[in-house]
């Protein structure tokens, strides 16, 4: 793939998704993708190696949850190669993003992205979710290809504010995982995501604590 092909894929995909991303932000997104592609050869950051689908699978997929980002400071757990945290941070320069991952190679890559892309709104934490102790809990916590829903809510419960919500990105609707959720958690809503160029289903599950009985 050539850079202009990535550029046109991104521009056309954003138009189809009706997402407003200016030209400068689009260039940053493509620079991130180039970094990811380069580092992936040595660091195994993502299983997606086909350059023809990287715009769809990495950038557009990450940006598909933009309409549900309502907090000023989002935590992305199991941030891995930076999806969805880095694309979202580029799309929302006025919001803060904390990216958490226990893999040192991946957090080194994320720190390099912050440096090279000039992302002043991104913090990277190398550590396990269970050990993380933020100054204050987060209203929204995103996860993409991180772990089963039961693990997500169990490991990250202390990181979520009382009225907060998990934004869990999944492929097919995970019936078994939803059934295994601890009783105090609920799927408040489920949204089918349309990602241009992506095969298969994509879903966003909004998971919240059950309201406390009066």
């Amino acid at each position: 793939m050539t850079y202009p092909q990535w550029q046109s894929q991104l521009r056309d995909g954003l138009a189809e998704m009706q997402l407003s991303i200016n030209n400068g932000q689009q260039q940053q997104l493509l620079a991130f993708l180039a970094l990811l592609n380069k580092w992936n050869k040595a660091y195994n950051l993502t299983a997606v190696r086909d350059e023809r689908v990287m715009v769809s699978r990495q950038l557009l997929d990450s940006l598909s949850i933009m309409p549900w980002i309502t907090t000023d400071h989002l935590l992305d757990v199991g941030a891995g190669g930076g999806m969805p945290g880095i694309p979202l941070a580029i799309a929302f320069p006025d919001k803060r993003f904390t990216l958490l991952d226990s893999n040192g190679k991946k957090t080194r890559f994320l720190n390099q992205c912050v440096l090279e892309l000039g992302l002043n709104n991104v913090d990277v934490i190398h550590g396990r979710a269970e050990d993380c102790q933020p100054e204050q809990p987060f209203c929204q916590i995103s996860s993409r290809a991180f772990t089963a829903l039961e693990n997500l809510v169990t490991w990250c419960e202390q990181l979520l504010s009382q009225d907060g919500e998990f934004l869990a990105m999944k492929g097919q609707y995970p019936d078994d995982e939803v059934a295994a959720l601890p009783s105090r958690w609920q799927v408040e809503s489920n949204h089918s995501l349309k990602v241009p160029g992506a095969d298969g289903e994509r879903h966003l599950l909004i998971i919240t604590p059950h309201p406390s009985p009066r």
Side-chain angles (χ1 to χ4, degrees), residues 4 18 22 25 31 37 48 66 69 72 76 79 82 89 108 135 138 143 152 166 171 195:
Q18 299 183 321
N22 66 39
Q25 290 167 315
N37 192 30
V48 179
M66 278 179 66
I69 305 297
D72 289 329
D76 185 29
R108 279 197 291 278
E135 290 182 11
F138 296 87
S143 79
L152 176 66
F166 288 102
V195 182

Side-chain angles (χ1 to χ4, degrees), residues 77-185:
V77 295
M83 286 76 63
I86 296 284
L88 290 173
I90 291 171
F92 292 112
D94 295 332
K95 297 179 182 290
R96 289 211 66 77
F97 293 83
T98 295
L99 277 51
L100 173 67
D101 202 281
S102 61
N103 184 307
K105 286 184 178 180
K106 292 178 178 177
T107 54
R108 279 197 291 278
F109 167 71
L110 296 174
N111 278 313
Q112 190 66 23
C113 288
V114 170
L115 190 67
E116 290 200 31
L117 301 174
L119 299 177
N120 299 322
N121 60 334
V122 174
D123 300 304
V124 177
I125 298 176
H126 175 214
R128 292 156 52 90
E130 308 95 299
D131 302 329
C132 186
Q133 296 181 320
E135 290 182 11
Q136 56 186 37
F138 296 87
C139 293
Q140 289 186 313
I141 298 177
S142 64
S143 79
R144 176 183 184 261
F146 173 43
T147 186
L149 297 176
E150 181 181 7
N151 294 336
L152 176 66
V153 298
T154 302
W155 296 345
C156 303
E157 181 173 5
Q158 83 284 3
L159 303 175
L160 190 72
S161 64
Q162 200 167 3
D163 56 351
E165 58 187 22
F166 288 102
L167 307 178
M169 300 176 71
K170 294 287 181 178
Q172 290 185 321
Y173 187 83
D175 292 286
D176 292 348
E177 292 185 26
V178 170
L181 272 174
S183 59
R184 67 177 300 266
W185 297 94

